[in-house]
Amino acid sequence: MRTKHRRLGDILVEAGVVTKEQVEKTVSAKRRSQKLGDALLEHGLVTETQLIEVLEFQLGIPHVTLSRHPVDSQLTNLVPKDMAKRHLVLPFQKEGDKLRVAMADPMDYVAIDDLRMHTGFSIEPSIASKKDIQQSIYKYYELEPSMKEFAVEETEEEPAQRESQSIDEEEDAPVIRLVNQLFAAALQKEASDVHVDPHETKILVRYRIDGILRTEQALPKHFQNALVARVKIMANLNITETRLPQDGRVKVSMDKRQVDLRISTLPTVYGEKIVVRILDMSQAVTRIGDLGFNIVNKEHFENLLSRPSGMVLITGPTGSGKTSTLYAGLNALNDDEVNIMTIEDPVEYQMEGINQVQVNAKVGLTFAAGLRSMLRQDPNIVMVGEIRDRETAEIAVRASLTGHLVMSTLHTNSALSTIPRLIDMGVEPFLVMSSLTGVVAQRLVRRVCPECSETYEPTEQELKWFVKRGIDVDNLYRGRGCKLCNDTGYKGRMAIHEVLVIDDELRKLVLNNKPMTTIKEHVLKNDMIFLIEDGLLKAKKGETTLEEVLRVALDD
């Protein structure tokens, strides 16, 4: 037993993962209550995978992946939820007088003693990742008991009584806990959307994580009415209206974070489908440097924002991060010396020092009407959430020609296609080219997971993409799949961009009705980096994969 009571720093130094100097420096710099492992992770000296592998090899403590391992949920009665959360532990198996417990820190002997005294069992620790344990605590201590309780209540009640139960406002109501826990799990998994899809015999709950939908769980069909009613009540929607789509929003506090939920309902053949967009206020990007611009594109974008007038457009499909780029630009310009005004539908993030207006079509406050009124409020910078029609486009164009810097978004496939799109809307070509100063087109790609990233030699087919664009590459990167990324190989997202700067020569080409091929040749001469090229450069650096780049970028 004495051999096991070794210090983590000594074990890591012995394994060659860190040096003795690094450990000593981390020990002196860490917070008083902070564990050495957490401090080393925070300073980027080790990864969680390295920690687990070293402890498993050096101490002979087995590693367990709770998401794949059968867990005896009855054992949660032995260890209270607050103790499990405090020590980051989860009991998962019992053999005689031995209790196997998954621990984020198997060298936490205080926690082991605490568990032994509380349960009366001999504790056998296993190593698991912190995230794996947190998700399992949520699943076995909160979600499963709530679902069982809800199912019992539903079966005991008569059908006529179910609706009244579903709108019970008491915090102890099982449906309220179930909905809260579905949202809490989505936030924990960093999901951007929650889909509640009704089917003939069940309800599927799906989370959109890093842009990809994944089925989280299937709920019994009899949950449907109560679940839908609870979500509608949260968003102050009409629970008796089931034949028409409805939209609403609600601000909630989850894990001490302010979260904005955008709720949309849609009648389908099997009942109402609900989609909830989760906007985590603490995760809002506020700096241009956080957007993933390469050096050239970042310089172009900052130059466009530094001009006193003109129109800068951010383009891309829905969910490509256009709003985040707009807000980062506004944040960079936010100053006491300028009057910044925005009109949005909806106002996604509230920013201090900026006057934000919410579109309300019911009372006649459209983008065009709001923009027209805002120009009488002495603005320096105007942000229009989206240019959707000719009237809004014309007012935005004229505002940029009268000394205002106008920023907005548009749905187009590339930066170059923005020009014909505005002309097709009915804006005169000379007005478009006089007002437009630059266009940023962007897409979101998934990042390679930093924990399980590995290099590989590209195939001939893969090399062709790089050779075609004049990029030399020896190795590419991909994720093997691990606990951190749920075996997907990807963790988080980043943007790829193309920035079109409008110059005098380009204006002449458009106004003389030159074909798009001539215009494209001109921007190529000016070394414009296209979407696919920016993606390939990021794939070369190991930030994303070629597969992701080709999934979202067009090969022009």
Side-chain angles (χ1 to χ4, degrees):
M1 192 70 184
R2 193 180 298 166
T3 55
K4 287 192 177 182
H5 281 69
R6 292 158 62 194
R7 293 187 303 179
L8 177 63
D10 295 337
I11 292 171
L12 291 172
V13 170
E14 191 179 317
V17 176
V18 291
T19 64
K20 191 174 181 181
E21 291 74 23
Q22 286 175 322
V23 171
E24 288 171 354
K25 191 176 178 181
T26 306
V27 168
S28 60
K30 76 182 182 72
R31 296 184 295 277
R32 191 173 180 181
S33 60
Q34 191 178 29
K35 292 181 179 179
L36 177 61
D38 291 334
L40 290 167
L41 285 169
E42 191 178 286
H43 288 86
L45 296 172
V46 296
T47 65
E48 193 169 21
T49 303
Q50 284 177 315
L51 271 177
I52 289 172
E53 285 175 353
V54 168
L55 291 174
E56 186 178 13
F57 179 73
Q58 295 282 348
L59 300 180
I61 297 174
H63 171 224
V64 64
T65 304
L66 293 169
S67 54
R68 298 181 195 160
H69 196 284
V71 174
D72 184 354
S73 57
Q74 297 298 317
L75 298 178
T76 55
N77 297 325
L78 296 174
V79 180
K81 183 171 71 173
D82 59 341
M83 182 185 283
K85 283 185 172 181
R86 186 170 69 251
H87 294 309
L88 270 182
V89 298
L90 184 88
F92 65 93
Q93 193 175 341
K94 182 165 69 82
E95 295 172 357
D97 64 342
K98 292 178 182 176
L99 185 66
R100 290 192 67 192
V101 179
M103 303 182 69
D105 180 8
M107 298 181 72
D108 187 347
Y109 303 111
V110 173
I112 292 172
D113 289 342
D114 202 2
L115 286 167
R116 186 172 63 246
M117 289 175 69
H118 189 87
T119 62
F121 285 89
S122 173
I123 304 299
E124 285 200 353
S126 296
I127 310 171
S129 73
K130 189 179 287 187
K131 188 173 181 181
D132 196 12
I133 292 175
Q134 286 172 337
Q135 289 181 355
S136 297
I137 288 173
Y138 158 74
K139 180 179 178 182
Y140 294 106
Y141 279 96
E142 296 181 14
L143 186 59
E144 278 198 1
S146 190
M147 286 176 65
K148 285 175 187 172
E149 188 180 354
F150 189 31
V152 168
E153 189 141 352
E154 283 290 331
T155 52
E156 286 176 353
E157 296 283 349
E158 291 298 317
Q161 294 176 305
R162 286 180 187 170
E163 190 171 344
S164 61
Q165 172 58 36
S166 71
I167 59 174
D168 187 355
E169 283 298 319
E170 292 178 16
E171 280 302 317
D172 289 337
V175 63
I176 295 176
R177 281 204 301 279
L178 177 65
V179 171
N180 289 348
Q181 285 155 14
L182 289 176
F183 290 151
L187 193 67
Q188 190 182 59
K189 292 174 183 286
E190 298 175 9
S192 61
D193 300 86
V194 178
H195 289 239
V196 181
D197 296 345
H199 291 256
E200 189 174 5
T201 58
K202 61 187 176 184
I203 311 163
L204 286 186
V205 177
R206 299 192 291 168
Y207 292 160
R208 189 177 291 281
I209 302 169
D210 294 338
I212 306 296
L213 270 174
R214 295 182 207 156
T215 300
E216 180 68 16
Q217 58 188 297
L219 301 176
K221 183 68 174 176
H222 65 256
F223 282 30
Q224 186 170 326
N225 290 342
L227 219 163
V228 170
R230 173 58 192 159
V231 174
K232 281 185 172 183
I233 285 169
M234 287 176 70
N236 202 22
L237 301 178
N238 183 358
I239 62 169
T240 61
E241 179 56 78
T242 58
R243 299 167 299 170
L244 292 173
Q246 295 185 71
D247 294 299
R249 62 184 292 184
V250 62
K251 274 189 180 176
V252 295
S253 181
M254 291 187 195
D255 293 334
K256 299 177 183 177
R257 287 188 284 179
Q258 282 295 314
V259 180
D260 206 356
L261 303 178
R262 302 286 162 74
I263 295 164
S264 171
T265 71
L266 183 72
T268 70
V269 289
Y270 293 123
E272 287 179 278
K273 173 180 168 66
I274 294 174
V275 176
V276 181
R277 167 66 57 90
I278 299 174
L279 293 170
D280 184 357
M281 304 304 183
S282 63
Q283 296 296 316
V285 173
T286 54
R287 294 184 305 169
I288 293 173
D290 296 333
L291 296 172
F293 278 105
N294 65 41
I295 297 168
V296 177
N297 284 341
K298 183 172 180 279
E299 188 180 338
H300 286 326
F301 185 51
E302 287 175 338
N303 286 340
L304 291 172
L305 295 179
S306 66
R307 298 183 185 186
S309 64
M311 186 161 68
V312 180
L313 295 179
I314 318 292
T315 74
T318 304
S320 59
K322 300 188 295 294
T323 306
S324 294
T325 304
L326 271 184
Y327 277 112
L330 287 178
N331 191 58
L333 296 168
N334 195 2
D335 193 283
D336 284 346
E337 298 175 359
V338 293
N339 178 19
I340 302 177
M341 304 193 75
T342 77
I343 180 158
E344 306 166 63
D345 183 24
V347 174
E348 296 211 4
Y349 298 109
Q350 292 171 11
M351 298 181 72
E352 196 174 335
I354 294 177
N355 306 288
Q356 295 171 277
V357 178
Q358 168 79 47
V359 166
N360 188 347
K362 291 178 183 176
V363 297
L365 181 55
T366 61
F367 275 116
L371 183 53
R372 198 179 285 112
S373 299
M374 279 166 54
L375 295 176
R376 295 194 286 270
Q377 293 275 317
D378 185 33
N380 298 97
I381 298 159
V382 174
M383 191 270 264
V384 184
E386 186 183 342
I387 293 178
R388 296 177 181 172
D389 51 50
R390 175 182 174 176
E391 191 180 6
T392 308
E394 283 187 339
I395 300 168
V397 163
R398 292 185 189 280
S400 67
L401 292 172
T402 53
H404 303 94
L405 177 63
V406 178
M407 299 172 68
S408 188
T409 67
L410 198 66
H411 288 274
T412 61
N413 287 328
S414 66
L416 279 172
S417 61
T418 302
I419 298 168
R421 175 85 176 97
L422 285 170
I423 295 169
D424 287 345
M425 275 185 169
V427 184
E428 292 293 337
F430 74 90
L431 286 176
V432 171
M433 298 317 296
S434 301
S435 63
L436 198 60
T437 53
V439 183
V440 178
Q442 71 178 60
R443 301 287 187 279
L444 290 178
V445 293
R446 291 182 289 173
R447 287 182 182 271
V448 173
C449 175
E451 286 282 338
C452 60
S453 175
E454 63 179 10
T455 60
Y456 72 97
E457 198 172 322
T459 63
E460 283 186 23
Q461 193 63 38
E462 288 175 322
L463 279 172
K464 283 179 184 176
W465 291 100
F466 292 90
V467 172
K468 186 179 176 182
R469 300 282 169 168
I471 301 170
D472 294 325
V473 65
D474 296 321
N475 291 307
L476 290 177
Y477 296 78
R478 63 187 171 203
R480 289 190 308 275
C482 65
K483 301 169 294 301
L484 183 70
C485 60
N486 292 321
D487 293 316
T488 60
Y490 297 101
K491 180 66 179 170
R493 287 192 291 177
M494 67 185 301
I496 58 173
H497 306 89
E498 63 183 24
V499 181
L500 172 66
V501 179
I502 310 292
D503 57 19
D504 291 338
E505 184 61 32
L506 183 58
R507 289 188 177 96
K508 282 181 191 173
L509 291 173
V510 174
L511 294 174
N512 289 330
N513 288 322
K514 295 295 181 185
M516 194 53 74
T517 50
T518 308
I519 294 170
K520 191 172 177 182
E521 283 170 12
H522 167 71
V523 297
L524 278 170
K525 281 179 193 172
N526 287 356
D527 297 327
M528 175 177 161
I529 299 171
F530 288 92
L531 271 174
I532 192 162
E533 290 168 353
D534 189 35
L536 292 174
L537 289 168
K538 283 169 179 169
K540 179 183 176 180
K541 287 163 69 178
E543 294 174 342
T544 187
T545 62
L546 177 62
E547 181 187 7
E548 272 296 290
V549 175
L550 298 179
R551 181 176 67 86
V552 300
L554 295 169
D555 181 29
D556 298 323

